[in-house]
Amino acid sequence: MFERLELVKISPQRLLDAGCGAGGDLALLHKQFAQAQILGVDASAAMLAEAGSRLSAALSSVSRLLAKYLPGKGASSTGLDASLLCADFAQLPLGPNAVDLVWSNLALHWHPQPDRVFREWRRVLRLDGLLMFSCFGPDTCIQLRSAFAAVDAVPHVLPFVDMHDLGDMLVDVGFSTPVMDMEKITVTYASVDKLMADVRALGGNPLSTRRRGLLGKGDWSRVVGNLEQLRQADGTIPLTFEIIYGHAFRPATTVTSSGEAIIRITPNPNRK
């Protein structure tokens, strides 16, 4: 995400980290855009509390450093502070044309209606504002999906949206010429327990159709057995992550809400 961001020449005055979680990207965004006002939004109050703690710790560290070498300087001069908001991606507490950059790193897949999210992100972006996001694609945890599918028909892994469908959604809600690409990363594990620990750390299963009870010992043994059969020549068990990347700009509106075309006429400065 940050490698791609470095290729885009923008100087946002205000940017939104949509799905900031525990605030892992906030410091990196500040480093990239030191003069920008940063807003962090997440639906989880607990994650935002962690982000707030990290920001406070960073401010305290910088304040101590400034107090030592630059007496009279304090946290207010560091520019590290960020505003944190608890909200749904698809219903942001921001007015139209509020930000120059919407940044969302591995968060979109948690929302059940990405088309609504894209529409909302377009609403809060200013004209020519940039959207950059990443999310998991359909082949994420495909080994785990297959292992559970042999036991029951209940979804144990999120049905991640295909890259091409996300691109179509961007166009449908009014973004211009979205650019989409993806990569697959394979992580290997020495044991099923370590693999499952990482999967649980990703955030669990938020699906309303998920299984409500625990698997029985017999079914769980079958799942473990299915994963054990995937061991490679080096003895490790693979787990695939498909990462989708997308970026798009918010163009000028070409039609009114009633469907009438908007024609912009630029005056000729040489005409008298």
Side-chain angles (χ1 to χ4, degrees):
M1 284 278 282
F2 279 97
E3 289 175 359
R4 287 164 169 77
L5 185 60
E6 290 174 353
L7 300 176
V8 183
K9 303 303 180 183
I10 59 172
S11 299
Q13 296 179 351
R14 199 180 196 200
L15 65 89
L16 170 67
D17 184 353
C20 65
D25 286 358
L26 295 177
L28 293 172
L29 289 168
H30 168 73
K31 183 178 180 181
Q32 185 79 7
F33 306 112
Q35 304 305 316
Q37 178 188 6
I38 299 176
L39 305 176
V41 172
D42 202 274
S44 169
M47 295 293 278
L48 286 175
E50 175 65 21
S53 297
R54 290 187 178 186
L55 286 174
S56 297
L59 285 169
S60 298
S61 298
V62 174
S63 294
R64 288 195 298 270
L65 187 64
L66 289 176
K68 181 178 180 180
Y69 294 104
L70 297 172
K73 299 292 184 178
S76 60
S77 64
T78 68
L80 284 172
D81 203 3
S83 299
L84 302 178
L85 307 171
C86 190
D88 186 334
F89 289 169
Q91 195 171 357
L92 295 169
L94 300 173
N97 311 308
V99 298
D100 304 290
L101 169 64
V102 173
W103 167 275
S104 184
N105 192 7
L106 289 181
L108 178 64
H109 46 261
W110 294 116
H111 200 284
Q113 294 178 287
D115 56 329
R116 286 186 56 211
V117 176
F118 285 151
R119 186 173 290 107
E120 180 71 346
W121 287 351
R122 185 189 184 282
R123 183 186 70 82
V124 301
L125 270 173
R126 292 169 182 154
L127 182 64
D128 294 326
L130 173 65
L131 164 64
M132 293 194 72
F133 71 93
S134 65
C135 60
F136 288 141
D139 280 348
T140 298
C141 297
I142 190 171
Q143 297 89 348
L144 193 62
R145 194 190 309 274
S146 297
F148 276 106
V151 173
D152 60 30
V154 180
H156 294 266
V157 179
L158 284 176
F160 301 109
V161 180
D162 182 78
M163 174 180 70
H164 301 93
D165 292 333
L166 291 172
D168 290 343
M169 291 178 195
L170 287 169
V171 173
D172 289 344
V173 303
F175 280 99
S176 64
T177 56
V179 176
M180 308 292 298
D181 65 340
M182 57 82 76
E183 65 176 331
K184 291 184 181 180
I185 300 171
T186 299
V187 182
T188 57
Y189 296 88
S191 70
V192 172
D193 287 343
K194 291 181 178 180
L195 181 153
M196 292 304 301
D198 268 10
V199 170
R200 294 188 183 100
L202 290 175
N205 185 349
L207 293 173
S208 59
T209 53
R210 69 184 183 276
R211 187 186 183 112
R212 295 301 174 179
L214 297 175
L215 287 176
K217 289 184 178 181
D219 285 343
W220 177 245
S221 294
R222 290 176 62 193
V223 171
V224 172
N226 291 336
L227 291 172
E228 288 287 354
Q229 291 178 15
L230 300 176
R231 284 194 182 274
Q232 304 174 122
D234 62 358
T236 60
I237 304 171
L239 186 64
T240 298
F241 293 88
E242 179 184 343
I243 314 297
I244 295 173
Y245 303 95
H247 74 261
F249 289 89
R250 183 204 159 175
T253 303
T254 57
V255 295
T256 66
S257 58
S258 60
E260 298 173 325
I262 298 175
I263 299 176
R264 291 177 171 81
I265 300 176
T266 303
N268 185 346
N270 298 319
R271 184 175 180 180
K272 298 181 179 179

